[in-house]
Amino acid sequence: MEQIQVRNAAAMKQPPKITSESITVGGKTYATDTFTNVTPTILEKTTRQLHLIPSHPIAIIKDLISTSFPDFKHYDKFSPVVTTKENFDDLCFSDDHPGRAVTDTYYLNEKIMLRTHTSAHQLQAMTESDKLLVTADVYRRDEIDASHYPVFHQMEGAQLFDTKTAVEDIRKSIAADLASSGASGSINTTDTTVITPENPKQDCHDEAAMLAVADHLKHSLNMMVRRLFAHEKDLQVRWIEAQFPFTSPSWEMEILYQGKWLEVLGSGVIKQDILKNAGKPDKIGWAFGLGLERLALVLFGIPDIRLFWSQDERFLRQFEPSQIQKFKPFSKYPACIKDISFWSNENFHENNFCEIVRDVAGDIAEDVQLLDEFVHPKTKKRSVCYRINYRSMDRNVTNVEINEIQEKLREEVVKRLKVELR
Ligand code: PHE
């Protein structure tokens, strides 16, 4: 699967093509039919692979989460184009499940679609690994607001245990984990969920084994968020009951953010039919799927989900691999660029120059860079050229107004720095 993965990632970079008869994406061509509802804008997103850009917030969260699952096999290059069998049928979705509707899902044709969740790869990955992570871009037709976008990223995790020894294996594993854990942070977790007929144990499961698996699932995810939010004070986390076609019982984890409970992941005990289909009938296991944007919005303080798709350097340059830094807002208005050159003198210091720029332009001065400098061969005088980026945070600036500021700057520089303009 390793090779398929790498080939997929490279193929996905090719620009998709869409005609009335066919759609080419990831180097493969699919015939269209009456189900076809993907658009060029959506298909273009398949080339971006934000989770594979190391200094992108989505990839940073992905990497930080995976440190909580050190010996898990991590698949992050599956193609987003999947069959309806992989996305729905294999996961026990009923034929009339609303998720299948053309109003909710992007179809290339009746049988081929853009995955709506990373669970679409559970079965395939479970045939080869007992501990796995899958990270990928997922696609859903959805409402438009600051926290919804038709493309987002999920991370799936699953762990399988031998049914016979699960209780004992899990007891040891949790004890060892607690003994060695360096997790810090003051996190307040509540779990009032109970097993009910609406959210039942599967008949084929031994009760003790199922409860042990549920404990291990919640323990693993509680530890993961504690590590992730190590610097956050008093994070509130709660577990609530949920329903998924492919797990039972099922739960969701929510975190309290700005006074509202935010759903961050779905999880549960894997339906035994799926394990049978993966060739693992003697295993019992848990799975979870979490939304990376949700966590990144909270952790980086990013105000709008569209920013993740920004190709503006002022967004991308802010972040570094493996580090959570609070997002610094930048202006959406265009810049006006002006250069100034002068012969400097021995007393010249860049900070003094910048001080004058601030005095004259105020917050409209966004950036000052030394563009060029040289020493005259005869006079030994040093010439400098500075480039100033003028931009307002809240309005368009006019050329006339910037010219006036620049003129004033030229006067002040001569007056205060005693330099000679060129
Ligand atoms: N696939 C589910 C979703 O997208 C999340 C999930 C994954 C739930 C694994 C249970 C187990 O909402």
Side-chain angles (χ1 to χ4, degrees):
M1 224 185 298
E2 208 70 47
Q3 274 192 354
I4 302 180
Q5 291 249 324
V6 175
R7 228 183 300 130
N8 281 343
M12 289 318 299
K13 294 226 176 73
Q14 297 170 24
K17 270 198 219 99
I18 179 162
T19 70
S20 56
E21 278 96 53
S22 71
I23 294 171
T24 305
V25 47
K28 292 195 183 127
T29 301
Y30 308 87
T32 58
D33 62 18
T34 55
F35 273 68
T36 310
N37 65 354
V38 283
T39 61
T41 322
I42 291 296
L43 281 177
E44 192 272 324
K45 296 287 190 287
T46 62
T47 63
R48 298 285 299 278
Q49 303 180 302
L50 303 184
H51 59 292
L52 300 180
I53 303 170
S55 60
H56 194 285
I58 296 297
I60 296 172
I61 304 280
K62 167 193 102 162
D63 289 340
L64 289 173
I65 293 174
S66 60
T67 61
S68 282
F69 302 96
D71 50 352
F72 280 50
K73 182 147 184 176
H74 196 161
Y75 305 86
D76 58 6
K77 299 180 186 72
F78 283 123
S79 164
V81 181
V82 300
T83 60
T84 49
K85 179 174 179 297
E86 289 167 307
N87 199 86
F88 297 126
D89 307 345
D90 286 350
L91 292 161
C92 318
F93 278 72
S94 61
D95 287 343
D96 60 355
H97 192 282
R100 294 182 188 257
V102 285
T103 49
D104 285 35
T105 293
Y106 289 106
Y107 285 91
L108 280 73
N109 62 39
E110 187 180 357
K111 296 269 183 296
I112 307 284
M113 55 180 284
L114 297 178
R115 67 184 151 226
T116 60
H117 54 176
T118 40
S119 304
H121 304 289
Q122 251 191 35
L123 180 62
Q124 193 185 357
M126 275 186 318
T127 58
E128 86 169 27
S129 315
D130 283 356
K131 297 177 174 186
L132 59 101
L133 297 173
V134 179
T135 306
D137 40 334
V138 303
Y139 298 76
R140 291 186 199 174
R141 302 185 73 190
D142 214 335
E143 56 203 279
I144 298 183
D145 69 24
S147 64
H148 287 89
Y149 198 75
V151 193
F152 57 102
H153 295 76
Q154 282 190 326
M155 189 174 211
E156 189 96 357
Q159 179 163 1
L160 312 183
F161 303 87
D162 287 327
T163 310
K164 287 210 184 71
T165 56
V167 172
E168 189 55 12
D169 292 349
I170 288 171
R171 193 187 58 76
K172 283 192 198 138
S173 154
I174 294 182
D177 204 27
L178 287 174
S180 72
S181 120
S184 57
S186 58
I187 285 184
N188 183 341
T189 313
T190 45
D191 181 359
T192 53
T193 60
V194 282
I195 309 298
T196 62
E198 290 74 46
N199 191 20
K201 170 181 97 61
Q202 298 168 51
D203 288 341
C204 57
H205 283 158
D206 169 62
E207 177 152 11
M210 183 279 286
L211 291 173
V213 168
D215 264 0
H216 194 265
L217 163 72
K218 290 174 178 172
H219 165 79
S220 306
L221 291 168
N222 287 337
M223 297 287 271
M224 182 276 288
V225 281
R226 276 178 67 175
R227 288 195 191 97
L228 202 56
F229 286 88
H231 303 295
E232 216 88 350
K233 281 218 166 65
D234 305 321
L235 185 78
Q236 303 274 332
V237 175
R238 73 174 185 193
W239 287 94
I240 57 169
E241 270 110 19
Q243 220 109 57
F244 300 102
F246 37 96
T247 50
S248 191
S250 308
W251 303 279
E252 274 167 6
M253 180 199 266
E254 296 183 328
I255 60 179
L256 192 62
Y257 180 62
Q258 296 181 340
K260 278 199 223 139
W261 288 102
L262 195 68
E263 179 205 323
V264 292
L265 66 87
S267 65
V269 178
I270 301 166
K271 286 261 177 90
Q272 208 59 24
D273 278 344
I274 300 174
L275 292 179
K276 275 187 209 143
N277 290 337
K280 310 222 163 145
D282 301 326
K283 304 265 176 174
I284 178 167
W286 53 250
F288 70 82
L290 62 80
L292 291 171
E293 273 81 353
R294 287 280 174 87
L295 289 172
L297 286 172
V298 176
L299 284 161
F300 288 87
I302 293 173
D304 191 309
I305 200 159
R306 288 172 299 178
L307 278 165
F308 293 119
W309 298 91
S310 168
Q311 285 172 318
D312 193 316
E313 282 297 309
R314 290 171 298 161
F315 179 73
L316 297 170
R317 270 201 325 242
Q318 289 194 20
F319 309 106
E320 282 165 56
S322 323
Q323 272 177 42
I324 294 177
Q325 280 151 304
K326 285 292 174 210
F327 167 69
K328 292 185 215 73
F330 52 84
S331 169
K332 46 185 184 289
Y333 296 94
C336 182
I337 291 164
K338 299 279 172 199
D339 296 343
I340 177 169
S341 307
F342 49 85
W343 296 107
S344 81
N345 53 39
E346 312 85 78
N347 298 329
F348 177 77
H349 192 290
E350 187 168 288
N351 285 354
N352 294 336
F353 171 69
C354 287
E355 199 57 48
I356 300 175
V357 178
R358 276 201 204 291
D359 266 4
V360 174
D363 281 350
I364 286 179
E366 180 181 76
D367 191 67
V368 174
Q369 295 284 337
L370 179 63
L371 203 61
D372 186 36
E373 77 185 305
F374 74 90
V375 176
H376 191 279
K378 288 224 178 86
T379 64
K380 301 287 179 242
K381 280 206 280 187
R382 188 166 153 261
S383 163
V384 291
C385 174
Y386 281 98
R387 169 157 290 181
I388 304 155
N389 230 339
Y390 295 100
R391 188 195 319 254
S392 161
M393 284 299 280
D394 48 23
R395 63 187 175 85
N396 269 319
V397 289
T398 64
N399 223 340
V400 173
E401 128 188 59
I402 299 302
N403 281 341
E404 273 170 27
I405 291 177
Q406 184 73 2
E407 209 30 63
K408 178 93 177 120
L409 176 69
R410 292 170 66 85
E411 283 167 26
E412 290 298 312
V413 162
V414 172
K415 230 199 285 175
R416 298 202 226 167
L417 299 179
K418 313 267 184 289
V419 297
E420 190 188 330
L421 294 177
R422 299 191 58 216

